Amino acid sequence: MREKEVVYVVSDSVGETAELMVKAVASQFNGGEVEIEHVSNVEEIKDIEHVIYVSKGTNSIIAYTLVIPALKEYLDKRAEEEGILAIDLMSSLMEAFSQKFNKLPKRQPRLIRKLDANYFRRVEAVEFAVKYDDGQDVRGIERADIVLIGVSRTSKTPLSMYLAHKRFKVANVPLVPEVRPPDELFKVSKNKCVGLVITPDKLNEIRKQRLKNLGLSVAKYADLDRILEELEYAEKIMKRIGCPIINVSDKAVEETADLLLAMLKKRGVGNRE
């Protein structure tokens, strides 16, 4: 009977990187029929002694991603003493990075998990911005890190998405004279609410272009008197809330975001960068 082929995946983190590499290699040999045993979150010498013990005298390989030098050196030494094949999956590439880019590795385990956490927070924030865009669900007002308010075409949605990519959960609420603002808007902390305003002429220009893109020529939406009415109403709501106000007339989304975050930082809204 053929002896079982085993690869012990040893890592000072969860070990997904090492497992993926082992599977990629194994797939080149008879469809990847090899057993993978995990030895994760290695932090002490006794953890290494355990994998040496279970792999000794077996038809196995140790594939490891250990970034702490003392643990790596100990595993290399013990594997050589016991005649076990141990493969370091990271050192060659880290040495290449160091030589080519003139940088030193941090040698800290689990850093990739931190990067993954940031990625998933960003995805969550983008999903939040979509769900609570344009006042679709007032529950977003209480759950948001930042609440944007303003009349139509003041960059609320693109600003929400831009901030979401910086891992802020943003809800935005349109202000329309005929529609009573949600009660939640006056209950939420003014420290995380920001009003967006724009000059009447600029808004008139933007709305006319919007109508043109839609194939419409005449609409109250772009009427200057209507715009003045909306802006006056919106500013009354913003003053009632007591939130800071940003004029977005000649600002790019990035510029508005930087200004907004600087203002909110003073009010205690934490930076996600």
Side-chain angles (χ1 to χ4, degrees):
M1 183 177 178
R2 186 177 178 181
E3 189 177 358
K4 181 171 62 173
E5 298 171 344
V6 182
V7 176
Y8 290 94
V9 171
V10 179
S11 175
D12 42 26
S13 185
V14 178
E16 301 113 314
T17 303
E19 180 181 2
L20 287 172
M21 293 178 71
V22 168
K23 285 182 175 178
V25 172
S27 68
Q28 302 296 317
F29 298 89
N30 298 321
E33 293 179 4
V34 63
E35 184 174 325
I36 297 176
E37 295 286 347
H38 290 271
V39 183
S40 304
N41 299 310
V42 171
E43 296 179 342
E44 301 177 16
I45 296 299
K46 67 179 182 180
D47 299 324
I48 293 175
E49 282 297 339
H50 167 71
V51 73
I52 292 292
Y53 174 78
V54 296
S55 60
K56 184 178 178 181
T58 65
N59 188 28
S60 63
I61 297 171
I62 296 175
Y64 69 88
T65 53
L66 297 174
V67 297
I68 300 174
L71 294 178
K72 168 191 160 35
E73 290 167 10
Y74 187 83
L75 176 53
D76 286 340
K77 174 175 173 292
R78 291 290 291 121
E80 184 178 359
E81 290 173 352
E82 300 294 345
I84 301 168
L85 181 59
I87 308 298
D88 184 345
L89 300 177
M90 290 185 68
S91 284
S92 295
L93 190 54
M94 282 206 294
E95 287 172 8
F97 267 62
S98 295
Q99 292 174 10
K100 188 65 178 178
F101 304 135
N102 196 28
K103 296 179 180 179
L104 294 175
K106 293 182 178 180
R107 300 285 181 182
Q108 295 177 19
R110 304 180 186 87
L111 288 181
I112 196 169
R113 303 297 295 177
K114 294 178 182 178
L115 292 175
D116 286 346
N118 286 337
Y119 168 77
F120 286 116
R121 278 199 295 269
R122 185 177 294 111
V123 170
E124 185 180 5
V126 170
E127 291 176 346
F128 187 97
V130 171
K131 183 176 182 179
Y132 298 112
D133 181 45
D134 208 30
Q136 294 179 74
D137 187 339
V138 295
R139 292 176 297 179
I141 295 172
E142 295 178 349
R143 298 171 182 173
D145 298 316
I146 300 170
V147 180
L148 303 177
I149 59 175
V151 302
S152 174
R153 313 313 292 179
T154 49
S155 302
K156 296 187 299 301
T157 296
L159 185 56
S160 294
M161 296 305 298
Y162 183 86
L163 291 169
H165 282 281
K166 291 182 174 289
R167 304 188 298 280
F168 287 95
K169 292 181 179 179
V170 185
N172 74 75
V173 181
L175 299 179
V176 183
E178 293 78 16
V179 180
R180 179 181 173 181
D183 293 337
E184 289 80 1
L185 201 55
F186 302 102
K187 297 176 182 177
V188 72
S189 170
K190 64 181 180 181
N191 290 335
K192 67 177 185 179
C193 189
V194 176
L196 304 178
V197 298
I198 190 170
T199 61
D201 289 345
K202 184 69 175 179
L203 185 55
N204 179 248
E205 177 186 329
I206 291 171
R207 289 189 175 183
K208 281 182 177 179
Q209 186 60 49
R210 174 64 173 165
L211 291 174
K212 183 178 179 181
N213 293 341
L214 294 173
L216 302 173
S217 57
V218 180
K220 188 178 180 182
Y221 179 68
D223 181 78
L224 189 57
D225 288 337
R226 170 62 183 184
I227 286 173
L228 290 169
E229 178 188 358
E230 288 186 36
L231 290 173
E232 183 180 1
Y233 170 78
E235 290 199 46
K236 285 181 180 178
I237 298 297
M238 294 171 192
K239 289 177 181 178
R240 179 180 167 189
I241 294 171
C243 63
I245 299 174
I246 298 177
N247 190 318
V248 302
S249 300
D250 298 307
K251 293 182 178 64
V253 169
E254 297 85 353
E255 186 181 358
T256 303
D258 289 343
L259 180 58
L260 182 151
L261 293 177
M263 294 170 68
L264 291 186
K265 188 174 182 180
K266 294 179 180 179
R267 293 177 167 237
V269 176
N271 193 352
R272 300 299 168 91
E273 288 297 304

